[in-house]
PDB file of all heavy atoms in Angstrom:
ATOM      1  N   GLN S  32      55.294  78.211  66.802  1.00  0.00           N
ATOM      2  CA  GLN S  32      54.000  78.203  67.503  1.00  0.00           C
ATOM      3  C   GLN S  32      52.855  78.037  66.498  1.00  0.00           C
ATOM      4  O   GLN S  32      51.897  77.319  66.758  1.00  0.00           O
ATOM      5  CB  GLN S  32      53.795  79.480  68.322  1.00  0.00           C
ATOM      6  CG  GLN S  32      54.849  79.760  69.397  1.00  0.00           C
ATOM      7  CD  GLN S  32      55.188  78.580  70.274  1.00  0.00           C
ATOM      8  OE1 GLN S  32      56.281  78.017  70.156  1.00  0.00           O
ATOM      9  NE2 GLN S  32      54.274  78.180  71.145  1.00  0.00           N
ATOM     10  N   ALA S  33      52.982  78.695  65.332  1.00  0.00           N
ATOM     11  CA  ALA S  33      51.933  78.576  64.317  1.00  0.00           C
ATOM     12  C   ALA S  33      51.833  77.143  63.818  1.00  0.00           C
ATOM     13  O   ALA S  33      50.731  76.587  63.710  1.00  0.00           O
ATOM     14  CB  ALA S  33      52.206  79.531  63.160  1.00  0.00           C
ATOM     15  N   SER S  34      52.959  76.516  63.558  1.00  0.00           N
ATOM     16  CA  SER S  34      52.872  75.175  62.976  1.00  0.00           C
ATOM     17  C   SER S  34      52.352  74.186  64.027  1.00  0.00           C
ATOM     18  O   SER S  34      51.576  73.275  63.700  1.00  0.00           O
ATOM     19  CB  SER S  34      54.207  74.730  62.383  1.00  0.00           C
ATOM     20  OG  SER S  34      55.082  74.332  63.397  1.00  0.00           O
ATOM     21  N   MET S  35      52.714  74.378  65.280  1.00  0.00           N
ATOM     22  CA  MET S  35      52.184  73.473  66.312  1.00  0.00           C
ATOM     23  C   MET S  35      50.680  73.678  66.515  1.00  0.00           C
ATOM     24  O   MET S  35      49.943  72.731  66.777  1.00  0.00           O
ATOM     25  CB  MET S  35      52.943  73.676  67.624  1.00  0.00           C
ATOM     26  CG  MET S  35      54.398  73.234  67.509  1.00  0.00           C
ATOM     27  SD  MET S  35      55.291  73.164  69.076  1.00  0.00           S
ATOM     28  CE  MET S  35      55.278  74.844  69.598  1.00  0.00           C
ATOM     29  N   THR S  36      50.226  74.929  66.385  1.00  0.00           N
ATOM     30  CA  THR S  36      48.784  75.186  66.527  1.00  0.00           C
ATOM     31  C   THR S  36      48.013  74.522  65.381  1.00  0.00           C
ATOM     32  O   THR S  36      46.951  73.940  65.584  1.00  0.00           O
ATOM     33  CB  THR S  36      48.496  76.695  66.559  1.00  0.00           C
ATOM     34  OG1 THR S  36      49.386  77.320  67.490  1.00  0.00           O
ATOM     35  CG2 THR S  36      47.065  76.969  66.976  1.00  0.00           C
ATOM     36  N   HIS S  37      48.580  74.617  64.167  1.00  0.00           N
ATOM     37  CA  HIS S  37      47.931  73.947  63.034  1.00  0.00           C
ATOM     38  C   HIS S  37      47.863  72.444  63.259  1.00  0.00           C
ATOM     39  O   HIS S  37      46.852  71.802  62.968  1.00  0.00           O
ATOM     40  CB  HIS S  37      48.690  74.254  61.734  1.00  0.00           C
ATOM     41  CG  HIS S  37      48.332  75.588  61.148  1.00  0.00           C
ATOM     42  ND1 HIS S  37      47.063  75.876  60.668  1.00  0.00           N
ATOM     43  CD2 HIS S  37      49.044  76.722  60.987  1.00  0.00           C
ATOM     44  CE1 HIS S  37      47.018  77.119  60.229  1.00  0.00           C
ATOM     45  NE2 HIS S  37      48.215  77.667  60.412  1.00  0.00           N
ATOM     46  N   ARG S  38      48.923  71.893  63.800  1.00  0.00           N
ATOM     47  CA  ARG S  38      48.955  70.459  64.085  1.00  0.00           C
ATOM     48  C   ARG S  38      47.884  70.101  65.123  1.00  0.00           C
ATOM     49  O   ARG S  38      47.152  69.117  64.985  1.00  0.00           O
ATOM     50  CB  ARG S  38      50.348  70.084  64.596  1.00  0.00           C
ATOM     51  CG  ARG S  38      50.517  68.629  64.904  1.00  0.00           C
ATOM     52  CD  ARG S  38      50.404  67.808  63.640  1.00  0.00           C
ATOM     53  NE  ARG S  38      51.003  66.489  63.811  1.00  0.00           N
ATOM     54  CZ  ARG S  38      50.423  65.374  63.416  1.00  0.00           C
ATOM     55  NH1 ARG S  38      49.225  65.424  62.844  1.00  0.00           N
ATOM     56  NH2 ARG S  38      51.018  64.218  63.574  1.00  0.00           N
ATOM     57  N   ALA S  39      47.782  70.934  66.157  1.00  0.00           N
ATOM     58  CA  ALA S  39      46.777  70.680  67.199  1.00  0.00           C
ATOM     59  C   ALA S  39      45.376  70.725  66.598  1.00  0.00           C
ATOM     60  O   ALA S  39      44.525  69.877  66.892  1.00  0.00           O
ATOM     61  CB  ALA S  39      46.919  71.698  68.329  1.00  0.00           C
ATOM     62  N   LEU S  40      45.130  71.685  65.700  1.00  0.00           N
ATOM     63  CA  LEU S  40      43.811  71.805  65.067  1.00  0.00           C
ATOM     64  C   LEU S  40      43.500  70.576  64.221  1.00  0.00           C
ATOM     65  O   LEU S  40      42.362  70.101  64.173  1.00  0.00           O
ATOM     66  CB  LEU S  40      43.758  73.056  64.193  1.00  0.00           C
ATOM     67  CG  LEU S  40      43.366  74.345  64.922  1.00  0.00           C
ATOM     68  CD1 LEU S  40      43.513  75.536  63.991  1.00  0.00           C
ATOM     69  CD2 LEU S  40      41.933  74.255  65.444  1.00  0.00           C
ATOM     70  N   GLU S  41      44.531  70.074  63.551  1.00  0.00           N
ATOM     71  CA  GLU S  41      44.361  68.876  62.744  1.00  0.00           C
ATOM     72  C   GLU S  41      43.911  67.725  63.643  1.00  0.00           C
ATOM     73  O   GLU S  41      43.014  66.951  63.293  1.00  0.00           O
ATOM     74  CB  GLU S  41      45.733  68.588  62.143  1.00  0.00           C
ATOM     75  CG  GLU S  41      45.787  67.661  60.971  1.00  0.00           C
ATOM     76  CD  GLU S  41      47.242  67.564  60.533  1.00  0.00           C
ATOM     77  OE1 GLU S  41      47.818  68.602  60.132  1.00  0.00           O
ATOM     78  OE2 GLU S  41      47.821  66.458  60.640  1.00  0.00           O
ATOM     79  N   LEU S  42      44.521  67.622  64.819  1.00  0.00           N
ATOM     80  CA  LEU S  42      44.157  66.548  65.745  1.00  0.00           C
ATOM     81  C   LEU S  42      42.762  66.752  66.329  1.00  0.00           C
ATOM     82  O   LEU S  42      42.069  65.805  66.665  1.00  0.00           O
ATOM     83  CB  LEU S  42      45.192  66.447  66.869  1.00  0.00           C
ATOM     84  CG  LEU S  42      46.592  66.016  66.422  1.00  0.00           C
ATOM     85  CD1 LEU S  42      47.618  66.259  67.513  1.00  0.00           C
ATOM     86  CD2 LEU S  42      46.590  64.547  66.007  1.00  0.00           C
ATOM     87  N   LEU S  43      42.332  68.016  66.444  1.00  0.00           N
ATOM     88  CA  LEU S  43      40.985  68.285  66.957  1.00  0.00           C
ATOM     89  C   LEU S  43      39.940  67.981  65.898  1.00  0.00           C
ATOM     90  O   LEU S  43      38.807  67.658  66.209  1.00  0.00           O
ATOM     91  CB  LEU S  43      40.858  69.745  67.402  1.00  0.00           C
ATOM     92  CG  LEU S  43      41.600  70.175  68.669  1.00  0.00           C
ATOM     93  CD1 LEU S  43      41.477  71.677  68.867  1.00  0.00           C
ATOM     94  CD2 LEU S  43      41.066  69.439  69.888  1.00  0.00           C
ATOM     95  N   SER S  44      40.322  68.113  64.638  1.00  0.00           N
ATOM     96  CA  SER S  44      39.448  67.982  63.465  1.00  0.00           C
ATOM     97  C   SER S  44      38.025  68.499  63.709  1.00  0.00           C
ATOM     98  O   SER S  44      37.060  67.753  63.680  1.00  0.00           O
ATOM     99  CB  SER S  44      39.434  66.557  62.917  1.00  0.00           C
ATOM    100  OG  SER S  44      38.976  65.639  63.852  1.00  0.00           O
ATOM    101  N   LEU S  45      37.925  69.794  63.924  1.00  0.00           N
ATOM    102  CA  LEU S  45      36.631  70.430  64.155  1.00  0.00           C
ATOM    103  C   LEU S  45      35.917  70.653  62.831  1.00  0.00           C
ATOM    104  O   LEU S  45      36.461  71.278  61.935  1.00  0.00           O
ATOM    105  CB  LEU S  45      36.844  71.768  64.870  1.00  0.00           C
ATOM    106  CG  LEU S  45      37.498  71.672  66.251  1.00  0.00           C
ATOM    107  CD1 LEU S  45      38.011  73.028  66.702  1.00  0.00           C
ATOM    108  CD2 LEU S  45      36.523  71.085  67.253  1.00  0.00           C
ATOM    109  N   PRO S  46      34.692  70.124  62.699  1.00  0.00           N
ATOM    110  CA  PRO S  46      33.994  70.200  61.419  1.00  0.00           C
ATOM    111  C   PRO S  46      33.406  71.578  61.115  1.00  0.00           C
ATOM    112  O   PRO S  46      33.168  71.910  59.961  1.00  0.00           O
ATOM    113  CB  PRO S  46      32.885  69.163  61.564  1.00  0.00           C
ATOM    114  CG  PRO S  46      32.629  69.098  63.037  1.00  0.00           C
ATOM    115  CD  PRO S  46      33.930  69.402  63.714  1.00  0.00           C
ATOM    116  N   SER S  47      33.140  72.393  62.152  1.00  0.00           N
ATOM    117  CA  SER S  47      32.484  73.684  61.916  1.00  0.00           C
ATOM    118  C   SER S  47      32.972  74.702  62.939  1.00  0.00           C
ATOM    119  O   SER S  47      33.612  74.340  63.931  1.00  0.00           O
ATOM    120  CB  SER S  47      30.969  73.504  61.999  1.00  0.00           C
ATOM    121  OG  SER S  47      30.638  72.950  63.250  1.00  0.00           O
ATOM    122  N   PRO S  48      32.654  75.994  62.712  1.00  0.00           N
ATOM    123  CA  PRO S  48      33.135  77.032  63.609  1.00  0.00           C
ATOM    124  C   PRO S  48      32.809  76.720  65.069  1.00  0.00           C
ATOM    125  O   PRO S  48      31.667  76.400  65.392  1.00  0.00           O
ATOM    126  CB  PRO S  48      32.385  78.283  63.140  1.00  0.00           C
ATOM    127  CG  PRO S  48      32.126  78.036  61.707  1.00  0.00           C
ATOM    128  CD  PRO S  48      31.855  76.552  61.606  1.00  0.00           C
ATOM    129  N   SER S  49      33.818  76.789  65.920  1.00  0.00           N
ATOM    130  CA  SER S  49      33.677  76.303  67.292  1.00  0.00           C
ATOM    131  C   SER S  49      34.152  77.328  68.311  1.00  0.00           C
ATOM    132  O   SER S  49      34.854  78.276  67.976  1.00  0.00           O
ATOM    133  CB  SER S  49      34.502  75.025  67.459  1.00  0.00           C
ATOM    134  OG  SER S  49      34.098  74.050  66.537  1.00  0.00           O
ATOM    135  N   LEU S  50      33.766  77.069  69.558  1.00  0.00           N
ATOM    136  CA  LEU S  50      34.240  77.869  70.693  1.00  0.00           C
ATOM    137  C   LEU S  50      35.372  77.086  71.361  1.00  0.00           C
ATOM    138  O   LEU S  50      35.179  75.976  71.831  1.00  0.00           O
ATOM    139  CB  LEU S  50      33.090  78.097  71.677  1.00  0.00           C
ATOM    140  CG  LEU S  50      33.422  78.851  72.967  1.00  0.00           C
ATOM    141  CD1 LEU S  50      33.918  80.263  72.665  1.00  0.00           C
ATOM    142  CD2 LEU S  50      32.216  78.907  73.892  1.00  0.00           C
ATOM    143  N   ILE S  51      36.565  77.695  71.356  1.00  0.00           N
ATOM    144  CA  ILE S  51      37.764  76.985  71.814  1.00  0.00           C
ATOM    145  C   ILE S  51      38.390  77.704  73.006  1.00  0.00           C
ATOM    146  O   ILE S  51      38.443  78.933  73.035  1.00  0.00           O
ATOM    147  CB  ILE S  51      38.807  76.896  70.668  1.00  0.00           C
ATOM    148  CG1 ILE S  51      38.202  76.231  69.440  1.00  0.00           C
ATOM    149  CG2 ILE S  51      40.051  76.131  71.117  1.00  0.00           C
ATOM    150  CD1 ILE S  51      39.143  76.103  68.262  1.00  0.00           C
ATOM    151  N   LEU S  52      38.870  76.929  73.970  1.00  0.00           N
ATOM    152  CA  LEU S  52      39.628  77.483  75.086  1.00  0.00           C
ATOM    153  C   LEU S  52      41.114  77.369  74.766  1.00  0.00           C
ATOM    154  O   LEU S  52      41.592  76.291  74.425  1.00  0.00           O
ATOM    155  CB  LEU S  52      39.310  76.711  76.371  1.00  0.00           C
ATOM    156  CG  LEU S  52      40.057  77.145  77.638  1.00  0.00           C
ATOM    157  CD1 LEU S  52      39.652  78.553  78.057  1.00  0.00           C
ATOM    158  CD2 LEU S  52      39.803  76.171  78.785  1.00  0.00           C
ATOM    159  N   ASP S  53      41.829  78.492  74.811  1.00  0.00           N
ATOM    160  CA  ASP S  53      43.282  78.471  74.587  1.00  0.00           C
ATOM    161  C   ASP S  53      43.979  78.618  75.941  1.00  0.00           C
ATOM    162  O   ASP S  53      43.953  79.684  76.555  1.00  0.00           O
ATOM    163  CB  ASP S  53      43.691  79.593  73.624  1.00  0.00           C
ATOM    164  CG  ASP S  53      45.181  79.526  73.246  1.00  0.00           C
ATOM    165  OD1 ASP S  53      45.956  78.837  73.942  1.00  0.00           O
ATOM    166  OD2 ASP S  53      45.577  80.175  72.247  1.00  0.00           O
ATOM    167  N   ILE S  54      44.591  77.520  76.378  1.00  0.00           N
ATOM    168  CA  ILE S  54      45.170  77.451  77.728  1.00  0.00           C
ATOM    169  C   ILE S  54      46.622  77.922  77.702  1.00  0.00           C
ATOM    170  O   ILE S  54      47.448  77.325  77.028  1.00  0.00           O
ATOM    171  CB  ILE S  54      45.091  75.994  78.220  1.00  0.00           C
ATOM    172  CG1 ILE S  54      43.631  75.538  78.291  1.00  0.00           C
ATOM    173  CG2 ILE S  54      45.782  75.831  79.555  1.00  0.00           C
ATOM    174  CD1 ILE S  54      43.438  74.079  78.005  1.00  0.00           C
TER     175      ILE S  54
END
Side-chain angles (χ1 to χ4, degrees):
Chain S
Q32 301 313 108
S34 77
M35 293 190 297
T36 312
H37 279 295
R38 181 65 160 134
L40 274 173
E41 197 178 298
L42 294 166
L43 289 174
S44 60
L45 298 164
S47 56
S49 302
L50 177 62
I51 304 180
L52 178 66
D53 186 343
I54 299 148

